Amino acid sequence: DSIEEPDVLPTQPRVFVGRSDLVQSAREALLKFHHVALIGPGGIGKSSIARAVLNDEEIVSKFHARRYLVRFDNIDVTQVNFKTFLDHIARALGFTAPVNAYNLITKTLSTAETLLVLDNAETFLDATMDAGRIADAIDGL
């Protein structure tokens, strides 16, 4: 497995008004719980809230450089399977073409507190193939 530079973390949204209460709620949940989901219809700002939380002072203080955003908006739901799901996460963590991606990802995430944001999760949760395996893998991360 080769290591490359992890994906660049997105910056705070430029135009972001009236969402401080949602960012605060998401931050508090992340500091307390293992899994947190931002759920709602497309276009309401879930990705912007996630970007704001990733750059929040308390989140940065807790997770430091171990904050990652994994984007799933660039693939068609019919193309998503367990391998493409894991490959997207591995690439975000800085790995290319891992042989056993799931073990590599879980080992990497277990070495220190890490914030892994899966953006556009409906893409893989609505996957026509492997949706159950993907959901189980998320529970294991």
Side-chain angles (χ1 to χ4, degrees):
D1 304 322
S2 61
I3 299 175
E4 37 178 63
E5 198 64 28
D7 287 350
V8 175
L9 198 61
T11 59
Q12 186 89 3
R14 293 183 199 272
V15 179
F16 196 69
V17 180
R19 303 286 176 98
S20 58
D21 57 332
L22 294 172
V23 172
Q24 179 182 345
S25 295
R27 176 187 60 236
E28 288 171 2
L30 280 169
L31 295 172
K32 187 186 288 190
F33 302 110
H34 187 72
H35 291 108
V36 174
L38 302 177
I39 300 171
I44 65 167
K46 297 178 301 292
S47 296
S48 293
I49 292 168
R51 286 175 49 202
V53 170
L54 279 165
N55 290 287
D56 178 84
E57 190 176 299
E58 284 185 65
I59 295 297
V60 171
S61 176
K62 178 174 181 170
F63 297 102
H64 306 284
R66 295 185 59 89
R67 296 170 291 126
Y68 303 95
L69 177 71
V70 185
R71 301 183 66 115
F72 288 93
D73 58 351
N74 60 345
I75 55 177
D76 186 289
V77 68
T78 61
Q79 300 172 333
V80 177
N81 59 35
F82 191 61
K83 182 182 180 328
T84 58
F85 169 73
L86 294 177
D87 285 350
H88 269 66
I89 295 173
R91 275 197 306 278
L93 296 174
F95 296 102
T96 57
V99 174
N100 191 336
Y102 185 75
N103 287 345
L104 180 63
I105 291 165
T106 55
K107 182 178 179 184
T108 301
L109 296 179
S110 69
T111 60
E113 284 199 287
T114 304
L115 177 57
L116 185 66
V117 175
L118 306 177
D119 193 27
N120 291 296
E122 67 278 0
T123 301
F124 56 81
L125 293 177
D126 292 339
T128 54
M129 301 176 284
D130 300 334
R133 282 183 78 194
I134 292 169
D136 289 343
I138 292 169
D139 287 340
L141 296 178

